[in-house]
Amino acid sequence: MSVLVAVLRVGETPPIGAGMRPRFEAHLYGGGLPRFVGYRVDDGPRLVRLSGTYAPAFSESPAFPVTDLLLAVPECRALSAIAQRLDTLSTKAEANYGRDFTAMVFSTDVEWGSDGYGRLFEARSQLEAHPFEGEVSLTLTPGATADQRTALRANLDRIRGSTRVFTEADGDETP
């Protein structure tokens, strides 16, 4: 049985006095092959599951688990200062290779050399080089491995926007 080891939330931080309004949540399940399950957050709020799963290579240097999730969900891409460029790259990938960033991340292999990898690599670089208008919060539970913790935190450090990390042991780690 898999165990939930991390929850990643992406959304907008409203004015003081209110909490974060997530647009997207991704839950990382551990086990034989750790993988993210993604959800859009609809009005209600209600979690609507995205089809497929994402198994990032946490041991890669650098790893892109957060960046890939932001690129996979159009509502999250919209929070980037260069959202239009990212959408264009996703549309070009779909036109040329039959799969957009959502399909690349949640349905298929995005290894180096795979169809459309160049567009995804460019989009990763662009997203991390420009301001991100939303907030990314990450909750790490004791089930998260050292590789997962290191990769997720390093990826958050490359995102040019508000980020927070929560852990069970010490609460909110970053303002």
Side-chain angles (χ1 to χ4, degrees):
M1 178 175 181
S2 293
V3 61
L4 178 65
V5 296
V7 176
L8 172 80
R9 291 181 178 88
V10 180
E12 299 169 322
T13 304
I16 294 175
M20 186 174 124
R21 283 179 264 198
R23 292 185 181 198
F24 172 76
E25 283 202 22
H27 300 169
L28 175 66
Y29 290 89
L33 178 64
R35 70 214 178 279
F36 276 106
V37 175
Y39 301 90
R40 280 189 172 89
V41 181
D42 283 353
D43 292 334
R46 183 173 63 101
L47 296 179
V48 179
R49 168 94 189 266
L50 298 174
S51 63
T53 60
Y54 172 47
F58 289 107
S59 60
E60 298 266 324
S61 184
F64 296 94
V66 178
T67 302
D68 284 350
L69 291 171
L70 295 176
L71 290 170
V73 182
E75 294 86 351
C76 295
R77 282 197 308 260
L79 298 173
S80 172
I82 57 158
Q84 185 175 7
R85 174 71 178 143
L86 299 175
D87 288 342
T88 299
L89 290 170
S90 183
T91 300
K92 284 182 175 183
E94 185 173 24
N96 294 329
Y97 306 107
R99 54 194 191 145
D100 63 4
F101 291 158
T102 304
M104 284 183 185
V105 172
F106 283 104
S107 302
T108 59
D109 192 0
V110 291
E111 287 184 341
W112 184 88
S114 63
D115 287 344
Y117 178 81
R119 298 233 191 265
L120 182 63
F121 183 81
E122 180 183 351
R124 285 171 170 169
S125 300
Q126 293 291 322
L127 186 133
E128 291 179 358
H130 291 84
F132 188 76
E133 307 296 329
E135 178 176 303
V136 179
S137 68
L138 171 66
T139 302
L140 293 169
T141 68
T145 68
D147 279 351
Q148 291 167 349
R149 289 172 183 274
T150 300
L152 288 163
R153 286 187 170 135
N155 194 175
L156 281 181
D157 288 345
R158 295 191 312 267
I159 305 242
R160 296 187 53 205
S162 176
T163 63
R164 285 194 266 182
V165 177
F166 299 91
T167 65
E168 184 176 287
D170 47 21
D172 187 0
E173 291 186 358
T174 56

